[in-house]
Amino acid sequence: MKFYDCRTAPSPRRVRIFLAEKGLTIETIQVDLANQENLKPAFLAINPRGVVPTLVLDDGTVLDEAVAVCRYIEETHPNPPLMGTDARSKAIIEARNRHIEQDGFLAVANVLRNTSAALKDRAVQGVTEKVPQIPELAERGRASLRRFFEDLERHFANHPYVAGSTYSIADITALVAVDFSRWIKAGIPPGNVYTERWHAEMSARPSAKA
Amino acid sequence: MKLYDCQIAPSPRRVRIFLAEKGLTMEKIEVDLLGAENLKPEYLKINPRGLVPTLELDDGSRIDEVVAICRYIEALHPNPPLMGTDPKSAALIESRNRHMEIDGFDAAADAFRNSAPAFANRGTQGVPKPVPAIPALAERGMEGLNRFFAGLESWLGENEYIAGPSYTIADITGLIAVDFAGWVKMEIPAGNKNTKRWYDAVSSRPSAKA
């Protein structure tokens, strides 16, 4: 198996943390996103979608999408379980994971990709044609992010983890999303003590350094 | 179990088709999305995220997110399998399903929500406060749909279905995305023979009427 990674990007970090939680190491190859290596012919020959993380299996099958890569790892290495153990927990963890992706991760991406000078004309990932930035979408992203942090704080007042009482992939997604929000000078709003407590706990896990 | 549903909306239709493919019937409660019933206090008590579909289990607990609901159903009713039968197929199907969501569904949603007069202040789903539409985002959605159709035609020249040789949840998502694109007058381009072949196959399944 080969894992195509980028140490500075948020999406691959989700897979690195997942692998660390499972106690797994696999051959890892760095892709230089800052210099658009993902959009050049050599990488597009590996994954035509031009995105990381990408996992290439021993039989040559190419997998992308962080959660799909994690699913392969989960199904081949079930312990410790990170994506649920029965119908209900699998569904709840999936739902909460998706909430965090949409409300948090995507909100930050909307701000970053529509304001960063480094991403001018690259507003949509994996697309080689020019996609111009939309400033109003960045504003919308900031409003979404405010709501995201309000929801998180309400949630963590009553639950230790994103999906309830057990650590799961949804906590990994949320940790990465919250850390990603610092790129756009957001971060956990001051005074959100429950979110801060959860974040400190997630950051203290050895996997957070992956 | 009950499904909070909306006959005209694309997302709940994904669950209805999934249930039909499994040969399952379920009590459905219609939510008037056009009339913003989902954003009113009564429905927000059922799902604070203000979204359909929502699945209510027999013990009163609720799950949202189309794919999470489908995963719950798949776990309880594994046949016919729609979400994979081994780690590789489970991951590939998940990845292709997400491609359909990002490339197709989200592009159509961006185009629709930011151009339809009825959604002029409903730019973000599930938010009870006004979120103004962004015309430039509708344009971006339309361009995204062009890329989506090009990608489909290319893939379906080498594969019978969206995730490979078998019909799966990814085909349901693809079908809904193509139909949703029709709402913004984006049809399968004339001459896209592979896509027409696939579309005819999936849309003529009895489940497509669900």
mmCIF file with all atom_site columns, all heavy atoms in Angstrom, chain B residues 6 17 23 26 29 45 51 86 90 98 110 112 117 120 137 141-143 145 150 154-155 166 182 196 198 206-207:
data_model
loop_
_atom_site.group_PDB
_atom_site.id
_atom_site.type_symbol
_atom_site.label_atom_id
_atom_site.label_alt_id
_atom_site.label_comp_id
_atom_site.label_asym_id
_atom_site.label_entity_id
_atom_site.label_seq_id
_atom_site.pdbx_PDB_ins_code
_atom_site.Cartn_x
_atom_site.Cartn_y
_atom_site.Cartn_z
_atom_site.occupancy
_atom_site.B_iso_or_equiv
_atom_site.pdbx_formal_charge
_atom_site.auth_seq_id
_atom_site.auth_comp_id
_atom_site.auth_asym_id
_atom_site.auth_atom_id
_atom_site.pdbx_PDB_model_num
ATOM 1   N N   . CYS B 1 6   ? -39.686 14.383 1.957   1.00 0.00 ? 6   CYS B N   1
ATOM 2   C CA  . CYS B 1 6   ? -40.273 15.447 1.151   1.00 0.00 ? 6   CYS B CA  1
ATOM 3   C C   . CYS B 1 6   ? -40.264 14.947 -0.284  1.00 0.00 ? 6   CYS B C   1
ATOM 4   O O   . CYS B 1 6   ? -39.185 14.729 -0.851  1.00 0.00 ? 6   CYS B O   1
ATOM 5   C CB  . CYS B 1 6   ? -39.491 16.751 1.293   1.00 0.00 ? 6   CYS B CB  1
ATOM 6   S SG  . CYS B 1 6   ? -40.146 18.074 0.254   1.00 0.00 ? 6   CYS B SG  1
ATOM 7   N N   . ILE B 1 17  ? -35.262 5.587  -2.650  1.00 0.00 ? 17  ILE B N   1
ATOM 8   C CA  . ILE B 1 17  ? -34.789 4.635  -3.664  1.00 0.00 ? 17  ILE B CA  1
ATOM 9   C C   . ILE B 1 17  ? -34.039 3.485  -2.980  1.00 0.00 ? 17  ILE B C   1
ATOM 10  O O   . ILE B 1 17  ? -34.215 2.315  -3.311  1.00 0.00 ? 17  ILE B O   1
ATOM 11  C CB  . ILE B 1 17  ? -33.911 5.333  -4.724  1.00 0.00 ? 17  ILE B CB  1
ATOM 12  C CG1 . ILE B 1 17  ? -34.759 6.297  -5.542  1.00 0.00 ? 17  ILE B CG1 1
ATOM 13  C CG2 . ILE B 1 17  ? -33.231 4.305  -5.623  1.00 0.00 ? 17  ILE B CG2 1
ATOM 14  C CD1 . ILE B 1 17  ? -33.983 7.086  -6.599  1.00 0.00 ? 17  ILE B CD1 1
ATOM 15  N N   . GLY B 1 23  ? -36.428 -3.541 -0.925  1.00 0.00 ? 23  GLY B N   1
ATOM 16  C CA  . GLY B 1 23  ? -37.754 -4.139 -0.787  1.00 0.00 ? 23  GLY B CA  1
ATOM 17  C C   . GLY B 1 23  ? -38.418 -3.780 0.527   1.00 0.00 ? 23  GLY B C   1
ATOM 18  O O   . GLY B 1 23  ? -39.241 -4.529 1.038   1.00 0.00 ? 23  GLY B O   1
ATOM 19  N N   . MET B 1 26  ? -41.753 1.930  4.643   1.00 0.00 ? 26  MET B N   1
ATOM 20  C CA  . MET B 1 26  ? -41.617 2.619  5.917   1.00 0.00 ? 26  MET B CA  1
ATOM 21  C C   . MET B 1 26  ? -42.650 3.729  5.998   1.00 0.00 ? 26  MET B C   1
ATOM 22  O O   . MET B 1 26  ? -42.999 4.337  4.980   1.00 0.00 ? 26  MET B O   1
ATOM 23  C CB  . MET B 1 26  ? -40.218 3.227  5.969   1.00 0.00 ? 26  MET B CB  1
ATOM 24  C CG  . MET B 1 26  ? -39.847 3.756  7.324   1.00 0.00 ? 26  MET B CG  1
ATOM 25  S SD  . MET B 1 26  ? -38.164 4.385  7.363   1.00 0.00 ? 26  MET B SD  1
ATOM 26  C CE  . MET B 1 26  ? -37.231 2.877  7.184   1.00 0.00 ? 26  MET B CE  1
ATOM 27  N N   . ILE B 1 29  ? -43.420 10.708 6.830   1.00 0.00 ? 29  ILE B N   1
ATOM 28  C CA  . ILE B 1 29  ? -44.093 11.940 7.220   1.00 0.00 ? 29  ILE B CA  1
ATOM 29  C C   . ILE B 1 29  ? -43.585 13.039 6.315   1.00 0.00 ? 29  ILE B C   1
ATOM 30  O O   . ILE B 1 29  ? -42.372 13.292 6.242   1.00 0.00 ? 29  ILE B O   1
ATOM 31  C CB  . ILE B 1 29  ? -43.800 12.266 8.699   1.00 0.00 ? 29  ILE B CB  1
ATOM 32  C CG1 . ILE B 1 29  ? -44.382 11.156 9.570   1.00 0.00 ? 29  ILE B CG1 1
ATOM 33  C CG2 . ILE B 1 29  ? -44.371 13.628 9.082   1.00 0.00 ? 29  ILE B CG2 1
ATOM 34  C CD1 . ILE B 1 29  ? -43.839 11.119 10.970  1.00 0.00 ? 29  ILE B CD1 1
ATOM 35  N N   . LYS B 1 45  ? -37.525 20.795 16.628  1.00 0.00 ? 45  LYS B N   1
ATOM 36  C CA  . LYS B 1 45  ? -37.506 19.913 17.808  1.00 0.00 ? 45  LYS B CA  1
ATOM 37  C C   . LYS B 1 45  ? -37.183 18.479 17.390  1.00 0.00 ? 45  LYS B C   1
ATOM 38  O O   . LYS B 1 45  ? -36.581 17.721 18.143  1.00 0.00 ? 45  LYS B O   1
ATOM 39  C CB  . LYS B 1 45  ? -38.882 19.915 18.520  1.00 0.00 ? 45  LYS B CB  1
ATOM 40  C CG  . LYS B 1 45  ? -39.113 21.105 19.412  1.00 0.00 ? 45  LYS B CG  1
ATOM 41  C CD  . LYS B 1 45  ? -40.251 20.836 20.407  1.00 0.00 ? 45  LYS B CD  1
ATOM 42  C CE  . LYS B 1 45  ? -41.062 22.085 20.689  1.00 0.00 ? 45  LYS B CE  1
ATOM 43  N NZ  . LYS B 1 45  ? -42.230 22.251 19.797  1.00 0.00 ? 45  LYS B NZ  1
ATOM 44  N N   . LEU B 1 51  ? -33.167 19.649 8.670   1.00 0.00 ? 51  LEU B N   1
ATOM 45  C CA  . LEU B 1 51  ? -32.977 18.996 7.377   1.00 0.00 ? 51  LEU B CA  1
ATOM 46  C C   . LEU B 1 51  ? -33.822 17.738 7.252   1.00 0.00 ? 51  LEU B C   1
ATOM 47  O O   . LEU B 1 51  ? -34.126 17.077 8.234   1.00 0.00 ? 51  LEU B O   1
ATOM 48  C CB  . LEU B 1 51  ? -31.499 18.611 7.192   1.00 0.00 ? 51  LEU B CB  1
ATOM 49  C CG  . LEU B 1 51  ? -30.484 19.761 7.270   1.00 0.00 ? 51  LEU B CG  1
ATOM 50  C CD1 . LEU B 1 51  ? -29.066 19.230 7.155   1.00 0.00 ? 51  LEU B CD1 1
ATOM 51  C CD2 . LEU B 1 51  ? -30.749 20.771 6.169   1.00 0.00 ? 51  LEU B CD2 1
ATOM 52  N N   . ASP B 1 86  ? -16.911 -6.306 0.850   1.00 0.00 ? 86  ASP B N   1
ATOM 53  C CA  . ASP B 1 86  ? -15.601 -6.556 1.455   1.00 0.00 ? 86  ASP B CA  1
ATOM 54  C C   . ASP B 1 86  ? -14.911 -5.204 1.621   1.00 0.00 ? 86  ASP B C   1
ATOM 55  O O   . ASP B 1 86  ? -15.442 -4.197 1.147   1.00 0.00 ? 86  ASP B O   1
ATOM 56  C CB  . ASP B 1 86  ? -14.779 -7.528 0.595   1.00 0.00 ? 86  ASP B CB  1
ATOM 57  C CG  . ASP B 1 86  ? -14.443 -6.974 -0.775  1.00 0.00 ? 86  ASP B CG  1
ATOM 58  O OD1 . ASP B 1 86  ? -14.734 -5.788 -1.055  1.00 0.00 ? 86  ASP B OD1 1
ATOM 59  O OD2 . ASP B 1 86  ? -13.898 -7.729 -1.598  1.00 0.00 ? 86  ASP B OD2 1
ATOM 60  N N   . ALA B 1 90  ? -16.262 -1.839 -0.226  1.00 0.00 ? 90  ALA B N   1
ATOM 61  C CA  . ALA B 1 90  ? -16.879 -0.862 0.675   1.00 0.00 ? 90  ALA B CA  1
ATOM 62  C C   . ALA B 1 90  ? -16.207 0.495  0.515   1.00 0.00 ? 90  ALA B C   1
ATOM 63  O O   . ALA B 1 90  ? -16.873 1.532  0.445   1.00 0.00 ? 90  ALA B O   1
ATOM 64  C CB  . ALA B 1 90  ? -16.774 -1.340 2.130   1.00 0.00 ? 90  ALA B CB  1
ATOM 65  N N   . ARG B 1 98  ? -19.034 9.583  -2.759  1.00 0.00 ? 98  ARG B N   1
ATOM 66  C CA  . ARG B 1 98  ? -18.636 10.947 -2.383  1.00 0.00 ? 98  ARG B CA  1
ATOM 67  C C   . ARG B 1 98  ? -18.292 11.778 -3.628  1.00 0.00 ? 98  ARG B C   1
ATOM 68  O O   . ARG B 1 98  ? -18.599 12.964 -3.690  1.00 0.00 ? 98  ARG B O   1
ATOM 69  C CB  . ARG B 1 98  ? -17.469 10.915 -1.387  1.00 0.00 ? 98  ARG B CB  1
ATOM 70  C CG  . ARG B 1 98  ? -17.969 10.634 0.030   1.00 0.00 ? 98  ARG B CG  1
ATOM 71  C CD  . ARG B 1 98  ? -16.861 10.384 1.031   1.00 0.00 ? 98  ARG B CD  1
ATOM 72  N NE  . ARG B 1 98  ? -17.422 10.373 2.386   1.00 0.00 ? 98  ARG B NE  1
ATOM 73  C CZ  . ARG B 1 98  ? -17.431 11.425 3.218   1.00 0.00 ? 98  ARG B CZ  1
ATOM 74  N NH1 . ARG B 1 98  ? -16.889 12.556 2.848   1.00 0.00 ? 98  ARG B NH1 1
ATOM 75  N NH2 . ARG B 1 98  ? -17.976 11.316 4.424   1.00 0.00 ? 98  ARG B NH2 1
ATOM 76  N N   . ASP B 1 110 ? -25.523 24.164 -5.553  1.00 0.00 ? 110 ASP B N   1
ATOM 77  C CA  . ASP B 1 110 ? -24.983 25.529 -5.655  1.00 0.00 ? 110 ASP B CA  1
ATOM 78  C C   . ASP B 1 110 ? -25.705 26.299 -6.755  1.00 0.00 ? 110 ASP B C   1
ATOM 79  O O   . ASP B 1 110 ? -26.087 27.462 -6.580  1.00 0.00 ? 110 ASP B O   1
ATOM 80  C CB  . ASP B 1 110 ? -23.481 25.507 -5.960  1.00 0.00 ? 110 ASP B CB  1
ATOM 81  C CG  . ASP B 1 110 ? -22.635 25.230 -4.719  1.00 0.00 ? 110 ASP B CG  1
ATOM 82  O OD1 . ASP B 1 110 ? -23.178 25.284 -3.595  1.00 0.00 ? 110 ASP B OD1 1
ATOM 83  O OD2 . ASP B 1 110 ? -21.428 24.946 -4.883  1.00 0.00 ? 110 ASP B OD2 1
ATOM 84  N N   . PHE B 1 112 ? -28.691 25.664 -8.074  1.00 0.00 ? 112 PHE B N   1
ATOM 85  C CA  . PHE B 1 112 ? -30.116 25.851 -7.770  1.00 0.00 ? 112 PHE B CA  1
ATOM 86  C C   . PHE B 1 112 ? -30.352 26.863 -6.653  1.00 0.00 ? 112 PHE B C   1
ATOM 87  O O   . PHE B 1 112 ? -31.134 27.810 -6.793  1.00 0.00 ? 112 PHE B O   1
ATOM 88  C CB  . PHE B 1 112 ? -30.759 24.509 -7.415  1.00 0.00 ? 112 PHE B CB  1
ATOM 89  C CG  . PHE B 1 112 ? -32.205 24.638 -7.044  1.00 0.00 ? 112 PHE B CG  1
ATOM 90  C CD1 . PHE B 1 112 ? -33.165 24.893 -8.016  1.00 0.00 ? 112 PHE B CD1 1
ATOM 91  C CD2 . PHE B 1 112 ? -32.617 24.555 -5.707  1.00 0.00 ? 112 PHE B CD2 1
ATOM 92  C CE1 . PHE B 1 112 ? -34.507 25.058 -7.676  1.00 0.00 ? 112 PHE B CE1 1
ATOM 93  C CE2 . PHE B 1 112 ? -33.948 24.712 -5.357  1.00 0.00 ? 112 PHE B CE2 1
ATOM 94  C CZ  . PHE B 1 112 ? -34.897 24.959 -6.352  1.00 0.00 ? 112 PHE B CZ  1
ATOM 95  N N   . PRO B 1 117 ? -35.636 31.757 -7.443  1.00 0.00 ? 117 PRO B N   1
ATOM 96  C CA  . PRO B 1 117 ? -36.234 32.878 -6.688  1.00 0.00 ? 117 PRO B CA  1
ATOM 97  C C   . PRO B 1 117 ? -36.752 32.463 -5.313  1.00 0.00 ? 117 PRO B C   1
ATOM 98  O O   . PRO B 1 117 ? -36.617 33.220 -4.345  1.00 0.00 ? 117 PRO B O   1
ATOM 99  C CB  . PRO B 1 117 ? -37.392 33.329 -7.601  1.00 0.00 ? 117 PRO B CB  1
ATOM 100 C CG  . PRO B 1 117 ? -37.007 32.877 -8.967  1.00 0.00 ? 117 PRO B CG  1
ATOM 101 C CD  . PRO B 1 117 ? -36.197 31.623 -8.790  1.00 0.00 ? 117 PRO B CD  1
ATOM 102 N N   . ALA B 1 120 ? -34.038 32.750 -2.617  1.00 0.00 ? 120 ALA B N   1
ATOM 103 C CA  . ALA B 1 120 ? -33.225 33.971 -2.669  1.00 0.00 ? 120 ALA B CA  1
ATOM 104 C C   . ALA B 1 120 ? -32.544 34.288 -1.343  1.00 0.00 ? 120 ALA B C   1
ATOM 105 O O   . ALA B 1 120 ? -31.463 34.868 -1.310  1.00 0.00 ? 120 ALA B O   1
ATOM 106 C CB  . ALA B 1 120 ? -34.085 35.151 -3.110  1.00 0.00 ? 120 ALA B CB  1
ATOM 107 N N   . LEU B 1 137 ? -21.890 32.036 -7.393  1.00 0.00 ? 137 LEU B N   1
ATOM 108 C CA  . LEU B 1 137 ? -21.796 30.642 -6.962  1.00 0.00 ? 137 LEU B CA  1
ATOM 109 C C   . LEU B 1 137 ? -22.699 29.760 -7.820  1.00 0.00 ? 137 LEU B C   1
ATOM 110 O O   . LEU B 1 137 ? -22.378 28.597 -8.083  1.00 0.00 ? 137 LEU B O   1
ATOM 111 C CB  . LEU B 1 137 ? -22.157 30.516 -5.478  1.00 0.00 ? 137 LEU B CB  1
ATOM 112 C CG  . LEU B 1 137 ? -21.998 29.140 -4.831  1.00 0.00 ? 137 LEU B CG  1
ATOM 113 C CD1 . LEU B 1 137 ? -20.598 28.577 -5.031  1.00 0.00 ? 137 LEU B CD1 1
ATOM 114 C CD2 . LEU B 1 137 ? -22.335 29.205 -3.341  1.00 0.00 ? 137 LEU B CD2 1
ATOM 115 N N   . GLY B 1 141 ? -21.495 26.612 -9.952  1.00 0.00 ? 141 GLY B N   1
ATOM 116 C CA  . GLY B 1 141 ? -22.208 25.341 -9.921  1.00 0.00 ? 141 GLY B CA  1
ATOM 117 C C   . GLY B 1 141 ? -22.458 24.797 -11.323 1.00 0.00 ? 141 GLY B C   1
ATOM 118 O O   . GLY B 1 141 ? -22.276 23.609 -11.596 1.00 0.00 ? 141 GLY B O   1
ATOM 119 N N   . MET B 1 142 ? -22.865 25.685 -12.223 1.00 0.00 ? 142 MET B N   1
ATOM 120 C CA  . MET B 1 142 ? -23.136 25.258 -13.606 1.00 0.00 ? 142 MET B CA  1
ATOM 121 C C   . MET B 1 142 ? -21.854 24.738 -14.265 1.00 0.00 ? 142 MET B C   1
ATOM 122 O O   . MET B 1 142 ? -21.858 23.718 -14.951 1.00 0.00 ? 142 MET B O   1
ATOM 123 C CB  . MET B 1 142 ? -23.714 26.412 -14.436 1.00 0.00 ? 142 MET B CB  1
ATOM 124 C CG  . MET B 1 142 ? -25.081 26.905 -13.956 1.00 0.00 ? 142 MET B CG  1
ATOM 125 S SD  . MET B 1 142 ? -26.404 25.662 -14.051 1.00 0.00 ? 142 MET B SD  1
ATOM 126 C CE  . MET B 1 142 ? -26.829 25.776 -15.798 1.00 0.00 ? 142 MET B CE  1
ATOM 127 N N   . GLU B 1 143 ? -20.738 25.454 -14.050 1.00 0.00 ? 143 GLU B N   1
ATOM 128 C CA  . GLU B 1 143 ? -19.461 24.982 -14.613 1.00 0.00 ? 143 GLU B CA  1
ATOM 129 C C   . GLU B 1 143 ? -19.069 23.646 -13.987 1.00 0.00 ? 143 GLU B C   1
ATOM 130 O O   . GLU B 1 143 ? -18.544 22.767 -14.667 1.00 0.00 ? 143 GLU B O   1
ATOM 131 C CB  . GLU B 1 143 ? -18.363 26.017 -14.364 1.00 0.00 ? 143 GLU B CB  1
ATOM 132 C CG  . GLU B 1 143 ? -18.408 27.150 -15.381 1.00 0.00 ? 143 GLU B CG  1
ATOM 133 C CD  . GLU B 1 143 ? -17.791 28.443 -14.853 1.00 0.00 ? 143 GLU B CD  1
ATOM 134 O OE1 . GLU B 1 143 ? -16.934 28.365 -13.943 1.00 0.00 ? 143 GLU B OE1 1
ATOM 135 O OE2 . GLU B 1 143 ? -18.180 29.505 -15.362 1.00 0.00 ? 143 GLU B OE2 1
ATOM 136 N N   . LEU B 1 145 ? -21.104 21.416 -13.011 1.00 0.00 ? 145 LEU B N   1
ATOM 137 C CA  . LEU B 1 145 ? -21.945 20.382 -13.632 1.00 0.00 ? 145 LEU B CA  1
ATOM 138 C C   . LEU B 1 145 ? -21.393 19.973 -14.997 1.00 0.00 ? 145 LEU B C   1
ATOM 139 O O   . LEU B 1 145 ? -21.453 18.798 -15.375 1.00 0.00 ? 145 LEU B O   1
ATOM 140 C CB  . LEU B 1 145 ? -23.397 20.857 -13.746 1.00 0.00 ? 145 LEU B CB  1
ATOM 141 C CG  . LEU B 1 145 ? -24.182 20.853 -12.434 1.00 0.00 ? 145 LEU B CG  1
ATOM 142 C CD1 . LEU B 1 145 ? -25.567 21.485 -12.619 1.00 0.00 ? 145 LEU B CD1 1
ATOM 143 C CD2 . LEU B 1 145 ? -24.330 19.445 -11.854 1.00 0.00 ? 145 LEU B CD2 1
ATOM 144 N N   . ALA B 1 150 ? -18.774 15.551 -17.948 1.00 0.00 ? 150 ALA B N   1
ATOM 145 C CA  . ALA B 1 150 ? -17.591 15.075 -18.685 1.00 0.00 ? 150 ALA B CA  1
ATOM 146 C C   . ALA B 1 150 ? -16.976 13.884 -17.948 1.00 0.00 ? 150 ALA B C   1
ATOM 147 O O   . ALA B 1 150 ? -16.616 12.872 -18.556 1.00 0.00 ? 150 ALA B O   1
ATOM 148 C CB  . ALA B 1 150 ? -16.583 16.206 -18.842 1.00 0.00 ? 150 ALA B CB  1
ATOM 149 N N   . SER B 1 154 ? -16.701 9.843  -19.268 1.00 0.00 ? 154 SER B N   1
ATOM 150 C CA  . SER B 1 154 ? -15.412 9.180  -19.324 1.00 0.00 ? 154 SER B CA  1
ATOM 151 C C   . SER B 1 154 ? -15.427 7.894  -18.480 1.00 0.00 ? 154 SER B C   1
ATOM 152 O O   . SER B 1 154 ? -15.051 6.817  -18.931 1.00 0.00 ? 154 SER B O   1
ATOM 153 C CB  . SER B 1 154 ? -14.360 10.182 -18.849 1.00 0.00 ? 154 SER B CB  1
ATOM 154 O OG  . SER B 1 154 ? -13.175 9.556  -18.599 1.00 0.00 ? 154 SER B OG  1
ATOM 155 N N   . TRP B 1 155 ? -15.895 7.984  -17.261 1.00 0.00 ? 155 TRP B N   1
ATOM 156 C CA  . TRP B 1 155 ? -15.924 6.825  -16.358 1.00 0.00 ? 155 TRP B CA  1
ATOM 157 C C   . TRP B 1 155 ? -16.809 5.720  -16.919 1.00 0.00 ? 155 TRP B C   1
ATOM 158 O O   . TRP B 1 155 ? -16.459 4.542  -16.898 1.00 0.00 ? 155 TRP B O   1
ATOM 159 C CB  . TRP B 1 155 ? -16.433 7.252  -14.972 1.00 0.00 ? 155 TRP B CB  1
ATOM 160 C CG  . TRP B 1 155 ? -16.668 6.110  -14.039 1.00 0.00 ? 155 TRP B CG  1
ATOM 161 C CD1 . TRP B 1 155 ? -17.789 5.327  -13.945 1.00 0.00 ? 155 TRP B CD1 1
ATOM 162 C CD2 . TRP B 1 155 ? -15.749 5.580  -13.084 1.00 0.00 ? 155 TRP B CD2 1
ATOM 163 N NE1 . TRP B 1 155 ? -17.617 4.337  -12.988 1.00 0.00 ? 155 TRP B NE1 1
ATOM 164 C CE2 . TRP B 1 155 ? -16.402 4.478  -12.441 1.00 0.00 ? 155 TRP B CE2 1
ATOM 165 C CE3 . TRP B 1 155 ? -14.452 5.928  -12.685 1.00 0.00 ? 155 TRP B CE3 1
ATOM 166 C CZ2 . TRP B 1 155 ? -15.778 3.727  -11.431 1.00 0.00 ? 155 TRP B CZ2 1
ATOM 167 C CZ3 . TRP B 1 155 ? -13.842 5.172  -11.677 1.00 0.00 ? 155 TRP B CZ3 1
ATOM 168 C CH2 . TRP B 1 155 ? -14.505 4.089  -11.073 1.00 0.00 ? 155 TRP B CH2 1
ATOM 169 N N   . SER B 1 166 ? -21.051 -3.301 -10.511 1.00 0.00 ? 166 SER B N   1
ATOM 170 C CA  . SER B 1 166 ? -22.376 -3.549 -9.908  1.00 0.00 ? 166 SER B CA  1
ATOM 171 C C   . SER B 1 166 ? -23.084 -2.264 -9.515  1.00 0.00 ? 166 SER B C   1
ATOM 172 O O   . SER B 1 166 ? -22.443 -1.259 -9.209  1.00 0.00 ? 166 SER B O   1
ATOM 173 C CB  . SER B 1 166 ? -22.249 -4.390 -8.642  1.00 0.00 ? 166 SER B CB  1
ATOM 174 O OG  . SER B 1 166 ? -21.412 -5.488 -8.864  1.00 0.00 ? 166 SER B OG  1
ATOM 175 N N   . GLY B 1 182 ? -31.098 18.702 -13.811 1.00 0.00 ? 182 GLY B N   1
ATOM 176 C CA  . GLY B 1 182 ? -32.220 19.037 -14.685 1.00 0.00 ? 182 GLY B CA  1
ATOM 177 C C   . GLY B 1 182 ? -33.018 20.226 -14.161 1.00 0.00 ? 182 GLY B C   1
ATOM 178 O O   . GLY B 1 182 ? -33.608 20.986 -14.932 1.00 0.00 ? 182 GLY B O   1
ATOM 179 N N   . LYS B 1 196 ? -25.962 8.197  -21.202 1.00 0.00 ? 196 LYS B N   1
ATOM 180 C CA  . LYS B 1 196 ? -27.363 7.887  -21.537 1.00 0.00 ? 196 LYS B CA  1
ATOM 181 C C   . LYS B 1 196 ? -27.649 6.412  -21.285 1.00 0.00 ? 196 LYS B C   1
ATOM 182 O O   . LYS B 1 196 ? -28.712 6.065  -20.782 1.00 0.00 ? 196 LYS B O   1
ATOM 183 C CB  . LYS B 1 196 ? -27.673 8.248  -22.987 1.00 0.00 ? 196 LYS B CB  1
ATOM 184 C CG  . LYS B 1 196 ? -27.841 9.741  -23.199 1.00 0.00 ? 196 LYS B CG  1
ATOM 185 C CD  . LYS B 1 196 ? -28.542 10.031 -24.511 1.00 0.00 ? 196 LYS B CD  1
ATOM 186 C CE  . LYS B 1 196 ? -28.951 11.458 -24.776 1.00 0.00 ? 196 LYS B CE  1
ATOM 187 N NZ  . LYS B 1 196 ? -28.240 12.587 -24.328 1.00 0.00 ? 196 LYS B NZ  1
ATOM 188 N N   . TRP B 1 198 ? -26.211 4.416  -19.105 1.00 0.00 ? 198 TRP B N   1
ATOM 189 C CA  . TRP B 1 198 ? -26.284 4.219  -17.642 1.00 0.00 ? 198 TRP B CA  1
ATOM 190 C C   . TRP B 1 198 ? -27.553 4.824  -17.076 1.00 0.00 ? 198 TRP B C   1
ATOM 191 O O   . TRP B 1 198 ? -28.258 4.190  -16.274 1.00 0.00 ? 198 TRP B O   1
ATOM 192 C CB  . TRP B 1 198 ? -25.042 4.823  -16.993 1.00 0.00 ? 198 TRP B CB  1
ATOM 193 C CG  . TRP B 1 198 ? -25.177 5.033  -15.510 1.00 0.00 ? 198 TRP B CG  1
ATOM 194 C CD1 . TRP B 1 198 ? -24.998 4.111  -14.517 1.00 0.00 ? 198 TRP B CD1 1
ATOM 195 C CD2 . TRP B 1 198 ? -25.555 6.256  -14.853 1.00 0.00 ? 198 TRP B CD2 1
ATOM 196 N NE1 . TRP B 1 198 ? -25.241 4.674  -13.275 1.00 0.00 ? 198 TRP B NE1 1
ATOM 197 C CE2 . TRP B 1 198 ? -25.585 5.992  -13.460 1.00 0.00 ? 198 TRP B CE2 1
ATOM 198 C CE3 . TRP B 1 198 ? -25.877 7.549  -15.299 1.00 0.00 ? 198 TRP B CE3 1
ATOM 199 C CZ2 . TRP B 1 198 ? -25.914 6.972  -12.516 1.00 0.00 ? 198 TRP B CZ2 1
ATOM 200 C CZ3 . TRP B 1 198 ? -26.206 8.524  -14.361 1.00 0.00 ? 198 TRP B CZ3 1
ATOM 201 C CH2 . TRP B 1 198 ? -26.217 8.229  -12.986 1.00 0.00 ? 198 TRP B CH2 1
ATOM 202 N N   . PRO B 1 206 ? -37.442 -0.139 -11.035 1.00 0.00 ? 206 PRO B N   1
ATOM 203 C CA  . PRO B 1 206 ? -38.663 0.244  -10.327 1.00 0.00 ? 206 PRO B CA  1
ATOM 204 C C   . PRO B 1 206 ? -38.397 1.219  -9.173  1.00 0.00 ? 206 PRO B C   1
ATOM 205 O O   . PRO B 1 206 ? -39.203 2.115  -8.911  1.00 0.00 ? 206 PRO B O   1
ATOM 206 C CB  . PRO B 1 206 ? -39.200 -1.099 -9.793  1.00 0.00 ? 206 PRO B CB  1
ATOM 207 C CG  . PRO B 1 206 ? -38.636 -2.123 -10.715 1.00 0.00 ? 206 PRO B CG  1
ATOM 208 C CD  . PRO B 1 206 ? -37.306 -1.607 -11.184 1.00 0.00 ? 206 PRO B CD  1
ATOM 209 N N   . SER B 1 207 ? -37.250 1.085  -8.528  1.00 0.00 ? 207 SER B N   1
ATOM 210 C CA  . SER B 1 207 ? -36.928 1.937  -7.372  1.00 0.00 ? 207 SER B CA  1
ATOM 211 C C   . SER B 1 207 ? -36.880 3.413  -7.744  1.00 0.00 ? 207 SER B C   1
ATOM 212 O O   . SER B 1 207 ? -37.108 4.280  -6.883  1.00 0.00 ? 207 SER B O   1
ATOM 213 C CB  . SER B 1 207 ? -35.574 1.549  -6.772  1.00 0.00 ? 207 SER B CB  1
ATOM 214 O OG  . SER B 1 207 ? -34.535 1.725  -7.743  1.00 0.00 ? 207 SER B OG  1
#
